[in-house]
Amino acid sequence: MWRFDGREDEEPDDSAPASVSHDLLMSIARILFLSLVVAVPIIPAAFLLLPMPSEADGITLCLPGIGPLQQFQGGLDEDLDEMVHIHERVHAEQCRRLGAVEYAKTYLTDEGMMALEAEAFCAEARTLAIRGLETGPWVSRIIEALYYDYPHSGDVAYADVRRIVGDWCPPPDARSTLLETERP
């Protein structure tokens, strides 16, 4: 083998393949590291700077290593604004409880998504029940919204949605019980 100075090398260089694979691994590691360094601040900044969809009152994004990021629509009336904050607070708690990966995996299944949303909507219903309001119409609206307005496959029946919501929402006749147990 010829060396750079023109002399012939007596021993073959067996380190070349190892050097190439090491260099390749180091290049991949650098690219991944730089991607993370760039992506970690850009994704949250983009989320917070981009306008919210007009049909959304609030959004919670669950990111690995960062946790929940939230945005809220401005100009909502006071009661709606409070319910939106209650709803999105539950999604933030779910993100912290499950972690970003498990939260995303859960949200990608029809029943998982409906359970996450039912928990958040039912927190709103629980607030109304604590105030002594009838929650029956609210719970019915939650079932209707989840079944008709949220995307899902034909594998989820209306009865499934009622069951999922029933697991999270207070029954309409629980108003007095909630009033007694949740007030100091």
Side-chain angles (χ1 to χ4, degrees), residues 16-165:
S19 176
V20 170
S21 65
H22 175 71
D23 291 344
L24 180 62
L25 288 175
M26 289 304 293
S27 295
I28 291 171
R30 284 186 194 113
I31 290 169
L32 289 174
F33 177 74
L34 289 175
S35 298
L36 284 173
V37 167
V38 170
V40 167
I42 287 179
I43 292 172
F47 174 75
L48 296 173
L49 293 175
L50 291 172
M52 281 191 43
S54 60
E55 67 274 2
D57 295 328
I59 296 175
T60 300
L61 183 65
C62 187
L63 295 175
I66 295 174
L69 294 177
Q70 296 182 312
Q71 261 191 358
F72 298 94
Q73 198 69 264
L76 299 175
D77 71 43
E78 190 176 319
D79 291 335
L80 178 57
D81 188 59
E82 178 186 25
M83 291 298 135
V84 170
H85 276 79
I86 289 168
H87 184 102
E88 296 305 324
R89 187 178 317 125
V90 170
H91 286 316
E93 290 167 6
Q94 292 166 337
C95 174
R96 288 184 199 99
R97 181 178 72 227
L98 297 172
V101 173
E102 191 61 33
Y103 181 85
K105 285 172 34 181
T106 302
Y107 212 90
L108 288 174
T109 67
D110 291 342
E111 285 209 26
M113 177 267 302
M114 288 190 183
L116 293 172
E117 289 298 335
E119 181 182 359
F121 279 124
C122 292
E124 300 173 39
R126 192 170 297 102
T127 300
L128 296 175
I130 290 169
R131 293 179 181 164
L133 299 172
E134 173 62 49
T135 58
W138 191 262
V139 172
S140 295
R141 195 172 123 212
I142 293 168
I143 294 167
E144 298 288 317
L146 287 174
Y147 187 74
Y148 292 110
D149 298 338
Y150 279 73
H152 60 84
S153 66
D155 296 339
V156 177
Y158 191 81
D160 296 324
V161 177
R162 288 185 63 193
R163 174 187 45 79
I164 292 166
V165 170

